[in-house]
Amino acid sequence: MELGLHFVDFVTVSAGGFDHTLTDVALTAEAGGMTMLTLADHFLQMESLGKAEDPFLEGYTSLGFLAAKTKTITLSMLVTGVTYRYPGVLAKVVATLDVLSRGRSMLGLGAAWYQREHLALGIPFPPLRARFEMLEETVQVCRQMWSADCGPYLGSHYQLAETICQPLPLQRIPIMIGGAGEKKTLRLVAQYADVWNVSVSSVDQLAHKIEVLERHCTDVDRDPAEIRKTAGLVRDPFDDVSAYLREMEQYAALGVDLVNVGPLPPNPDPAGFVARLCEQIVPRAAQIG
């Protein structure tokens, strides 16, 4: 089992200098064996974690900064809100990140949900059905942008006269779709995703969601084994390390091979928290599965 660092705490980062503390956190995670670093694609802090007025850095700028500081860790949003950027622009942003990180990018995508953020910044917030249609077209646009096909793309929501993207990514960028919705999200995962990320409240719920995903895979004639399963266990593992590892074992038994975790705000020492993860959790997690 691998560990990924999901970082959303910019309150305490600001006290030590955004650049220095974010660098310390990333380098500590990389040196300690964590294999993925993800940020949340938001412009205001999520109200479940703090106040909208709390400091929060824009994600893709931050990932570009971290690409220059790190060497091996995968860099991604968890996940990109489909409403925030036109898909052609998003494809170019992620391709640029891939080139500058030497092939360490991943495109995480979701249907977006933070209505306050949209209204605050003047971003249209279409109905849920339309956002899922936009999500599907965004995947299609990105795949075409990252191919040798520079021709037009004509969708219901997006029309591109040309899909030129030079330089091309250095790899076939994995597409992650996040979420657990059984009718739409998991169908899109089955049809398009290389990676699936989900956060659930119990192992039983995870098992159920996997069963639903496998049914969708059958419907689209796809082998479920082609989809990497990752999951969020974003809580303090040090409340009970043994219990946390037992839950990871249960996740691994269901086919999950990476768990995302990180310091929840406000944490006075985020780099120290990550160092403890690397010392106490990463080596033991590596023995799972």
Side-chain angles (χ1 to χ4, degrees), residues 190-254:
Q191 188 165 356
Y192 293 108
D194 304 294
V195 185
W196 172 47
N197 185 264
V198 66
S199 292
V200 291
S201 58
S202 70
V203 174
D204 288 342
Q205 187 181 30
L206 175 62
H208 170 70
K209 298 295 182 182
I210 291 173
E211 289 176 1
V212 174
L213 175 60
E214 289 175 347
R215 290 200 296 270
H216 282 298
C217 286
T218 299
D219 291 340
V220 299
D221 194 24
R222 187 174 183 196
D223 183 354
E226 295 177 359
I227 303 169
R228 185 184 189 189
K229 299 178 184 68
T230 68
L233 275 175
V234 186
R235 60 175 183 273
D236 191 342
F238 304 113
D239 287 341
D240 189 334
V241 170
S242 296
Y244 196 85
L245 289 165
R246 284 196 299 272
E247 191 164 5
M248 290 179 68
E249 289 174 348
Q250 293 174 306
Y251 276 38
L254 292 171

Side-chain angles (χ1 to χ4, degrees), residues 131-201:
R131 300 202 307 273
F132 274 107
E133 292 169 353
M134 293 161 65
L135 175 59
E136 183 167 15
E137 290 190 15
T138 295
V139 174
Q140 294 169 355
V141 168
C142 288
R143 283 289 182 228
Q144 183 168 327
M145 290 276 293
W146 298 335
S147 75
D149 182 358
C150 297
Y153 174 88
L154 302 176
S156 298
H157 295 273
Y158 304 112
Q159 296 82 43
L160 287 73
E162 299 177 275
T163 51
I164 298 169
C165 184
Q166 290 294 335
L168 287 169
L170 301 185
Q171 58 162 336
R172 184 184 183 278
I173 296 176
I175 290 180
M176 169 197 283
I177 294 178
E182 297 184 9
K183 293 182 178 180
K184 294 184 177 180
T185 302
L186 294 182
R187 182 193 68 79
L188 291 174
V189 172
Q191 188 165 356
Y192 293 108
D194 304 294
V195 185
W196 172 47
N197 185 264
V198 66
S199 292
V200 291
S201 58

Side-chain angles (χ1 to χ4, degrees), residues 68-97:
K69 302 292 184 179
T70 57
K71 295 181 179 179
T72 60
I73 200 164
T74 298
L75 302 170
S76 180
M77 292 291 199
L78 187 60
V79 287
T80 306
V82 73
T83 53
Y84 296 137
R85 301 165 191 86
Y86 286 109
V89 173
L90 177 62
K92 185 66 176 181
V93 168
V94 178
T96 300
L97 177 63

